[in-house]
Amino acid sequence: MGIGAVIGSGIFTVIGTAMAGQRFATPEVSNTPLVHYLLTHTAMAGRPGAGPALAVSLVLVAIVCVFTGLCYAELASMIPIAGSAYTYTYATLGELVAWIIGWDLILEYAFSNMSVSVGFAAHIEAMLEWFGIHFPLRWISPAYLPTGLQDLAGNDLYQPGWHFGFNIPAFLVVMVLTVILVRGIRESARTNNILVLVKIVAILAFIFAAASFVKPAYWHPFMPNGWTGMLSGGSIIFFTYIGFDSVSTAAEECKRPQRDLPFGILATLIACTLLYGGVAIVLSGIVPWQSIMGDGAPVVNALKRLSLQQGGAGLRWVELVVLIGAMLGMISSILVFQLGQARVWFAMSRDGLLPDVFSRIHAQFRTPAVATWVAGFVVGIPAGLLDIGTVSNLSNIGTLFAFVLVSIAVLILRYREPERVRAFRAPFGPVFPVLSIIFCIVLMMGLEVLTWTAFFIWLAIGLTIYFFYSRHRSEFAGMR
């Protein structure tokens, strides 16, 4: 277990939308965080950002991850095989729950990678500009821009809404990595460790280089949008912690899991929260937090602005270091999550819940080629069309819902199978699973009504497929 299991590249991409939120011309219920609408019955003109208080949002998210991670560890410790939440729930709670969580994981993996791909495209654009290369804007920006697009000076480049264009870099990075996955790739612990080190170096380079340019006036007010903004920011920034659950599945590898697992989860989350919090504090102190709304590369663009100021010329090289670290980390993240998404499609097909074509193995490369290609296009095409805020919303609600189901599964299994061997058991009886459920739902409520609506539509489509198709073809169909 280590920090590499938690630290991701999302901090370089979604911190802008978490800190600055989204702003629309008129108040609408669909663009209002659910918690705000339930408490006040009033609409907002977009989702409020956390502002400088995003550093506090990160602490809240880390606490949620502690509760959820310990629940995930208990569930994983009961199953003597490697796998995802789908595998664990299928083996313990049956087909229907497994279908729901598998369908939800497809949403989570797909929109997580869309978010990273859109962020990668923004960093590609910044890299080209660093070398003085400029491409037509319509081919390097999303077709859908709900808050429009502005340059570094705040001038409007595109009005809010749809425009003719396609984010080609976001599409291409997914498709190139899909080809690599179809041909077969083995995960290397050494390569992963190197990439993690590069990401940490990039984060530290930004923090230490930009800290001397901080203007404390930018931190006031610290919580400009109140508790709603801080909760909404936490709901979006949760994306940066996706991957922490892999720490939780190592119960079988620990000599003393009841002691080592909590320590490992807590230590890695503290380390990442300090790194992420440092980025949030410095970023909100060097540029007005409102100015990074909708920015897919807010850290790099902030460095670019500083480099134009007196005494900031040296930051051009720091910008290059951050660009390289961020882009390498994003490639690693996309590769891992595309691999994970294809495995979910493959596993569900193998269990009879999806058509057999998704579990076909390539004759030469011995990989689930069809599932991998489908996963590639499912991510690549929307990544070319949608903005970072839209896709990160759906990624977060899918992830949080999956963690709610895992925590509920722990409670159910403690009641149904109390004597079952568990290499690790979350402490304090039902307290941690219950707190995990409550906090995950609270974070989900920081997302907009529109995101909740889209999520329920996705679940409804999934349940329709299950009851009219999957349950009649699964391996348990003959037993009904």
Side-chain angles (χ1 to χ4, degrees):
M1 294 181 294
I3 193 172
V6 184
I7 190 168
S9 303
I11 194 67
F12 294 111
T13 60
V14 299
I15 190 171
T17 188
M19 188 177 290
Q22 289 180 306
R23 180 65 56 186
F24 299 94
T26 57
E28 293 184 16
V29 173
S30 60
N31 297 321
T32 303
L34 180 62
V35 64
H36 179 84
Y37 185 72
L38 291 177
L39 293 176
T40 68
H41 302 292
T42 59
M44 302 181 74
R47 177 178 51 77
L54 185 64
V56 182
S57 302
L58 286 162
V59 176
L60 170 64
V61 170
I63 293 171
V64 176
C65 289
V66 169
F67 295 136
T68 305
L70 294 176
C71 293
Y72 209 111
E74 178 172 331
L75 187 62
S77 73
M78 299 171 64
I79 318 297
I81 55 174
S84 66
Y86 166 79
T87 305
Y88 303 140
T89 51
Y90 195 93
T92 55
L93 295 178
E95 184 179 274
L96 177 58
V97 178
W99 167 267
I100 293 173
I101 203 166
W103 189 249
D104 180 66
L105 286 174
I106 292 174
L107 179 77
E108 172 193 337
Y109 285 142
F111 280 90
S112 296
N113 263 357
M114 290 177 208
S115 301
V116 179
S117 302
V118 174
F120 180 85
H123 285 76
I124 281 285
E125 179 187 357
M127 176 71 81
L128 293 173
E129 288 185 359
W130 198 92
F131 288 103
I133 303 171
H134 301 276
F135 273 79
L137 192 60
R138 67 177 53 183
W139 303 123
I140 54 176
S141 60
Y144 178 60
L145 295 164
T147 58
L149 184 65
Q150 295 77 33
D151 60 18
L152 294 181
N155 301 311
D156 285 332
L157 301 174
Y158 282 112
Q159 293 299 315
W162 290 91
H163 68 91
F164 177 71
F166 190 75
N167 196 340
I168 292 177
F171 174 77
L172 283 182
V173 68
V174 176
M175 301 318 297
V176 168
L177 294 178
T178 298
V179 172
I180 293 173
L181 288 172
V182 168
R183 295 183 65 87
I185 184 171
R186 293 184 178 179
E187 299 177 63
S188 167
R190 178 177 296 179
T191 301
N192 183 61
N193 290 337
I194 292 173
L195 289 173
V196 170
L197 181 61
V198 169
K199 287 186 279 189
I200 293 175
V201 168
I203 290 174
L204 292 177
F206 167 74
I207 292 173
F208 287 110
S212 59
F213 292 85
V214 164
K215 297 179 180 179
Y218 288 153
W219 290 332
H220 302 285
F222 183 72
M223 196 182 295
N225 292 310
W227 291 100
T228 300
M230 195 183 75
L231 177 61
S232 181
S235 303
I236 296 299
I237 208 69
F238 189 86
F239 167 76
T240 63
Y241 284 89
I242 292 177
F244 83 93
D245 51 310
S246 60
V247 180
S248 312
T249 61
E252 298 295 331
E253 302 170 15
C254 297
K255 293 182 179 179
R256 287 170 289 186
Q258 204 64 34
R259 186 203 68 174
D260 295 343
L261 265 177
F263 177 80
I265 292 171
L266 191 61
T268 51
L269 288 174
I270 288 174
C272 284
T273 302
L274 290 174
L275 288 172
Y276 294 165
V279 173
I281 291 169
V282 172
L283 181 61
S284 61
I286 59 176
V287 293
W289 61 269
Q290 305 95 324
S291 67
I292 56 177
M293 184 180 297
D295 193 341
V299 173
V300 169
N301 287 328
L303 287 172
K304 188 181 300 181
R305 293 178 188 179
L306 289 181
S307 68
L308 300 176
Q309 298 179 10
Q310 185 175 0
L315 292 178
R316 286 279 292 166
W317 294 102
V318 178
E319 179 189 343
L320 183 61
V321 170
V322 173
L323 275 169
I324 293 172
M327 290 170 61
L328 287 176
M330 289 178 202
I331 290 173
S332 171
S333 297
I334 296 170
L335 197 65
V336 169
F337 278 102
Q338 283 302 102
L339 180 64
Q341 185 181 186
R343 284 175 174 174
V344 172
W345 288 73
F346 175 82
M348 295 178 74
S349 173
R350 181 193 56 199
D351 295 332
L353 299 177
L354 289 176
D356 296 337
V357 65
F358 294 115
S359 56
R360 289 181 186 172
I361 301 297
H362 194 285
Q364 178 182 354
F365 303 125
R366 310 305 300 167
T367 59
V370 174
T372 305
W373 276 114
V374 170
F377 282 107
V378 163
V379 170
I381 293 175
L385 298 172
L386 303 176
D387 73 302
I388 189 77
T390 301
V391 293
S392 60
N393 286 347
L394 284 165
S395 167
N396 283 306
I397 198 169
T399 305
L400 287 163
F401 182 70
F403 293 154
V404 168
L405 291 181
V406 166
S407 302
I408 291 174
V410 169
L411 288 175
I412 292 174
L413 288 170
R414 284 189 180 184
Y415 175 77
R416 281 176 33 183
E417 303 180 33
E419 304 303 321
R420 185 163 179 164
V421 176
R422 293 164 170 81
F424 172 81
R425 180 186 289 267
F428 306 114
V431 173
F432 275 42
V434 170
L435 288 176
S436 173
I437 294 167
I438 292 172
F439 278 113
C440 284
I441 292 175
V442 167
L443 280 179
M444 291 171 71
M445 292 177 69
L447 297 168
E448 301 97 315
V449 172
L450 180 62
T451 301
W452 278 85
T453 303
F455 177 65
F456 282 125
I457 291 173
W458 175 259
L459 286 183
I461 293 171
L463 289 173
T464 301
I465 294 173
Y466 174 76
F467 284 110
F468 285 94
Y469 175 81
S470 301
R471 75 186 304 267
H472 302 294
R473 294 185 67 258
S474 72
E475 59 182 347
F476 296 115
M479 304 178 186
R480 294 188 179 96

